[in-house]
Amino acid sequence: MSTIRAIRGMNDILPDETPHWRRLEQVVCRLLNSYGYGEIRLPLVEHTELFKRSIGEVTDIVEKEMYSFDDRNGESLTLRPEGTAGCVRAAIQQGLLTVPQRLWYAGPMFRYERPQKGRQRQFHQIGVEALGVASVEMDAELILLCARLWRRLGLAGSVELQINSIGSSAARRAYRAALVEYLSAHRAALDEDSQRRLDSNPLRILDSKNPDTQALLDAAPVLADYLDAEARDDFDRLRELLTAAGVAFVVNPRLVRGLDYYNKTVFEFVTERLGAQGTVCAGGRYDNLVEQLGGKSTPAVGFAMGMERLVLLMLETGAAGDAAPAQADVYAVAVGEDAHREALVAVEAVRDSLPGLAIVQHTGGGSFKSQLKRADKSGASVALIWGEDEVRAQSVTVKFLRDGAGQGDKTGQRSVPRDQLEATLRAAFAD
RNA sequence: GUGGCCGUAGCUCAUCAGGUAGAGCACUGGAUUGUGACUCCGGAGGUGGCGGGUUCGAGACCCGUCGGCCACCCCA
């Protein structure tokens, strides 16, 4: 019989790692609350059309990376490859756009890509979207919020902020034409991938990893020269605000976006420590998307973080700390049917009065020896033991498993009358 | 989709001119007829990813295939 394995690129996250995920989620959730962002929960599946219209028909994501399928009624649905489209769709549909909205969400996204370090087919993002505010102060707020998040997570020293402005779509169109004209004249000098991009997505050539291509770009037209006045003013103002707030940044004039809906401000937080997939958080302004999806014209800006990458980075840098998987405080051992019954009842009573204690009740029988072995492995500092003697005497044996010098009465073991169990445990876990 | 490296016990890995498998950890039993961690002794666990080829003989060599990792591409 062959075993069934997980889908390639869709990974299990085991109890070793989930505490780090939980910490990340908790820190993010608290931080976003403190900035006035509300959580929104969105479907994993949307009409395929939503992503075609938002991300762009000719992007790689839409052309070859989406998990699309026909529903039973024949319409094409898609597992969301990113969160912004669904969030904007919901904001329009639910009438949230009458006032500025600060929203966030977290969850799995799906892209059919070749897995590698920091990249899988089911991955998890936390997305933040601010809808209805055109002013660049909103862009700054989001970046400041990110910077604070890195500080809270202990990652501030591990990431670098890169910013750029890609201007209005008209400005970009003009620049694209100039860039294509320049690069076409040097077509032969371009690497194979960039030659292909010359037709499909010329701006993407700017962040090519090929050194020869990068060298060729040194003499190419510069995006900044093509920016409209408004975009240029906003970008100046953004730099002023970030500087005033003490947030370090690098202007990367070749920073562009893979998704079509972005304009003006774009930004990324990148790290050197994760190999090739160094972008840990990326976003920008998308003032035309709401209208493109059928809503009334509404400016917007947002970003998304890759949770796998952040957890990796936390582990890599030691910022993850020693968050341990859930461990027991108390392990209950019982041998014999009567003892099991006594133990069950007593442990449930303790759960009522001391709800904060993690108590594992041994199941599956076995000798005192094997059960105590389990107790030790569980990490519990106290074992409660029931056997024939305890049943007869209406008592329980309390055994301290983590004896230490100076622990006073928290060493060895002793017999405690059944009705004093709760008080004994309360004292044992007082600190 | 392309390329490189790699698939031996649950995990981490050995072995060998090609002569039909071994360690540590984990699991389990005992030394201790009601007591863990340390120690000692024992046990279980592998159709060597799968299929084909070369060979008297293949886990080792060759081909194919599937899977893993990393990189390209793409992107969070």
Side-chain angles (χ1 to χ4, degrees):
Chain A
M1 186 81 103
S2 61
T3 57
I4 297 177
R5 298 178 45 91
I7 306 300
R8 184 214 274 256
M10 306 207 181
N11 300 333
D12 304 311
I13 302 169
L14 303 179
D16 282 13
E17 252 186 65
T18 48
H20 302 305
W21 284 74
R22 250 198 208 287
R23 169 160 169 262
L24 173 61
E25 287 159 3
Q26 267 166 12
V27 170
V28 166
C29 179
R30 218 172 296 145
L31 181 77
L32 286 164
N33 275 334
S34 78
Y35 276 79
Y37 287 74
E39 184 185 4
I40 184 167
R41 302 214 175 190
L42 301 160
L44 301 187
V45 183
E46 298 272 4
H47 290 290
T48 299
E49 179 64 16
L50 173 67
F51 302 115
K52 286 190 175 171
R53 256 157 77 179
S54 56
I55 297 169
E57 265 320 320
V58 295
T59 56
D60 276 29
I61 293 179
V62 169
E63 277 183 341
K64 45 194 190 198
E65 294 178 2
M66 293 205 304
Y67 281 92
S68 297
F69 60 96
D70 285 345
D71 197 1
R72 290 185 185 276
N73 63 7
E75 63 186 326
S76 179
L77 307 183
T78 293
L79 261 43
R80 63 180 186 191
E82 59 104 40
T84 301
C87 185
V88 168
R89 188 230 84 225
I92 297 169
Q93 181 181 336
Q94 305 298 337
L96 304 182
L97 297 174
T98 54
V99 292
Q101 287 287 342
R102 287 176 164 87
L103 300 170
W104 73 276
Y105 50 84
M109 309 291 164
F110 303 85
R111 288 179 351 205
Y112 187 89
E113 296 185 279
R114 197 75 177 261
Q116 69 182 77
K117 189 182 174 85
R119 189 176 78 182
Q120 41 285 124
R121 290 182 175 180
Q122 175 176 329
F123 61 105
H124 299 78
Q125 286 189 335
I126 294 167
V128 179
E129 318 287 352
L131 308 170
V133 178
S135 142
V136 72
E137 273 92 47
M138 196 68 237
D139 309 28
E141 173 177 311
L142 291 178
I143 292 173
L144 261 43
L145 183 160
C146 287
R148 184 176 299 279
L149 177 61
W150 312 141
R151 273 181 261 131
R152 291 227 177 138
L153 292 171
L155 297 175
S158 311
V159 294
E160 177 187 89
L161 169 61
Q162 299 189 355
I163 61 172
N164 193 24
S165 175
I166 58 173
S168 65
S169 57
R172 219 157 44 249
R173 209 160 29 244
Y175 173 68
R176 185 182 297 133
L179 183 66
V180 168
E181 187 185 338
Y182 169 81
L183 289 174
S184 297
H186 301 83
R187 192 176 189 112
L190 279 178
D191 60 274
E192 201 179 318
D193 285 321
S194 293
Q195 290 190 18
R196 179 173 48 73
R197 282 184 286 223
L198 207 44
D199 303 315
S200 59
N201 199 349
L203 291 190
R204 274 271 141 192
I205 298 174
L206 292 178
D207 56 9
S208 165
K209 287 182 183 171
N210 187 298
D212 296 337
T213 300
Q214 280 297 326
L216 196 61
L217 286 168
D218 287 341
V222 182
L223 178 52
D225 294 340
Y226 287 76
L227 290 188
D228 46 294
E230 194 182 302
R232 202 186 326 241
D233 289 348
D234 277 1
F235 194 50
D236 289 344
R237 175 77 173 148
L238 177 64
R239 283 179 298 189
E240 183 196 334
L241 292 172
L242 293 178
T243 304
V247 172
F249 60 87
V250 174
V251 174
N252 176 357
R254 293 177 186 173
L255 182 63
V256 291
R257 283 278 81 112
L259 286 60
D260 280 359
Y261 52 67
Y262 287 103
N263 69 313
K264 287 188 172 171
T265 305
V266 297
F267 66 93
E268 277 187 20
F269 286 89
V270 298
T271 177
E272 305 267 81
R273 309 195 56 168
L274 294 184
Q277 308 298 323
T279 301
V280 114
C281 170
R285 187 157 274 284
Y286 51 94
D287 291 326
N288 301 312
L289 181 59
V290 177
E291 195 169 13
Q292 238 175 78
L293 292 179
K296 64 166 192 199
S297 177
T298 305
V301 54
F303 67 87
M305 299 178 264
M307 295 180 74
E308 279 82 359
R309 291 180 189 181
L310 284 172
V311 171
L312 267 179
L313 187 58
M314 283 160 55
L315 293 169
E316 184 77 21
T317 59
D322 52 3
Q327 283 212 316
D329 296 314
V330 175
Y331 195 96
V333 165
V335 174
E337 285 187 11
D338 291 342
H340 268 292
R341 189 183 54 247
E342 294 289 314
L344 186 85
V345 171
V347 164
E348 283 301 312
V350 173
R351 291 189 203 282
D352 287 338
S353 49
L354 297 169
L357 275 192
I359 310 174
V360 173
Q361 173 113 44
H362 182 88
T363 51
S367 62
F368 284 100
K369 183 190 179 73
S370 62
Q371 293 195 31
L372 262 308
K373 260 185 184 171
R374 288 279 160 216
D376 185 61
K377 292 247 156 77
S378 76
S381 49
V382 170
L384 303 178
I385 304 171
W386 279 269
E388 281 181 26
D389 299 346
E390 285 82 359
V391 171
R392 205 176 308 115
Q394 281 295 289
S395 69
V396 51
T397 298
V398 176
K399 179 181 174 70
F400 291 91
L401 299 169
R402 302 284 179 265
D403 302 33
Q407 289 284 316
D409 58 351
K410 296 185 190 173
T411 59
Q413 69 178 53
R414 71 192 113 106
S415 180
V416 170
R418 164 69 186 82
D419 57 8
Q420 282 172 36
L421 174 57
E422 176 195 322
T424 305
L425 287 176
R426 201 186 291 279
F429 290 95
D431 40 305

